[in-house]
Amino acid sequence: NAGVTQTPKFQVLKTGQSMTLQCAQDMNHEYMSWYRQDPGMGLRLIHYSVGAGITDQGEVPNGYNVSRSTTEDFPLRLLSAAPSQTSVYFCASSYTKSGNTIYFGEGSWLTVV
Amino acid sequence: DQQVKQNSPSLSVQEGRISILNCDYTNSMFDYFLWYKKYPAEGPTFLISISSIKDKNEDGRFTVFLNKSAKHLSLHIVPSQPGDSAVYFCAASPGQGAQKLVFGQGTRLTINP
């Protein structure tokens, strides 16, 4: 997972609190994305970005906000945390050209109580 | 609606034998498929991929087979080694790049000595 760095690794939030999960990559990848993984389910796409200044929604975007001001960084914001957002969050990046694959960070474990 | 399905939550194989992990998909727009391996408390790591223009791709002990008419792909690992014990995720993308991946639920592979 070299190259994609997520912080924090663990976080406990109270319902209604806001927080930002940080993600940075040093591979000059155009594409970055956020996924969440819940028990018994595969990873689901929250938001993605194909370049600085461009973001779009994935499969499960509600309750999350993103921005892409630089190529390197793609923070994920929880505006008002809910227990349903308790999950493991993975940031990923890749080149956008054909045939390339996505590289994932190590994950951020979030618990909302 | 689960577009990518891994119907076996777990699989146990003896060391040295072949491991076969299966994956089915429903969306005909998928044309790039990947397998990821995940250890506990780590992010998924890319294993092998296949484009829809191929029916087989090999990389060392790992081979992926694609049957487009059946919308089915499989991952073969031979010979299986103890270090192969992990959760394996099948993923699909509607483009030739690996953006906007749709994941299966995962199969936990255990290699027994």
Side-chain angles (χ1 to χ4, degrees):
Chain A
N1 295 327
V4 181
T5 304
Q6 291 182 233
T7 56
K9 195 167 182 69
F10 300 98
Q11 182 73 48
V12 179
L13 280 180
K14 292 183 178 179
T15 297
Q17 285 185 318
S18 62
M19 77 155 298
T20 300
L21 298 176
Q22 301 291 345
C23 176
Q25 53 90 11
D26 59 3
M27 298 174 282
N28 202 29
H29 285 166
E30 305 101 326
Y31 182 82
M32 295 186 74
S33 54
W34 279 100
Y35 289 81
R36 61 177 286 175
Q37 184 191 10
D38 300 297
M41 302 183 72
L43 285 74
R44 292 181 294 168
L45 182 63
I46 304 172
H47 284 286
Y48 66 98
S49 168
V50 298
I54 305 169
T55 64
D56 206 346
Q57 297 181 349
E59 181 185 355
V60 287
N62 293 338
Y64 307 95
N65 199 4
V66 292
S67 60
R68 185 92 180 270
S69 56
T70 67
T71 300
E72 295 78 19
D73 301 297
F74 191 46
L76 178 72
R77 297 183 187 84
L78 281 71
L79 307 173
S80 178
S84 62
Q85 294 178 302
T86 294
S87 189
V88 184
Y89 292 84
F90 292 98
C91 179
S93 73
S94 76
Y95 292 112
T96 55
K97 61 183 178 181
S98 173
N100 280 282
T101 190
I102 286 184
Y103 297 93
F104 286 86
E106 293 192 339
S108 296
W109 274 253
L110 177 65
T111 301
V112 183
V113 298
Chain B
D1 179 29
Q2 192 78 24
Q3 297 185 69
V4 178
K5 295 181 182 180
Q6 294 175 255
N7 291 318
S8 298
S10 62
L11 176 66
S12 186
V13 174
Q14 193 171 2
E15 182 179 358
R17 307 294 288 267
I18 185 171
S19 296
I20 300 176
L21 297 95
N22 293 303
C23 178
D24 297 294
Y25 62 96
T26 58
N27 190 338
S28 299
M29 298 301 293
F30 291 146
D31 58 7
Y32 191 59
F33 304 89
L34 308 92
W35 285 93
Y36 281 84
K37 176 180 179 180
K38 187 180 180 304
Y39 293 119
E42 294 185 10
T45 55
F46 171 71
L47 203 54
I48 193 168
S49 63
I50 188 167
S51 166
S52 60
I53 61 174
K54 295 185 175 181
D55 54 18
K56 177 182 174 182
N57 189 28
E58 273 185 89
D59 185 1
R61 297 186 297 115
F62 303 93
T63 302
V64 56
F65 295 93
L66 175 62
N67 183 335
K68 283 181 291 182
S69 60
K71 294 190 176 66
H72 177 84
L73 65 156
S74 61
L75 175 68
H76 293 212
I77 306 173
V78 57
S80 299
Q81 299 174 354
D84 296 329
S85 294
V87 177
Y88 288 79
F89 289 98
C90 168
S93 172
Q96 281 297 313
Q99 291 83 45
K100 299 181 71 175
L101 295 178
V102 179
F103 282 82
Q105 308 95 310
T107 297
R108 181 176 300 278
L109 176 65
T110 302
I111 306 301
N112 302 308

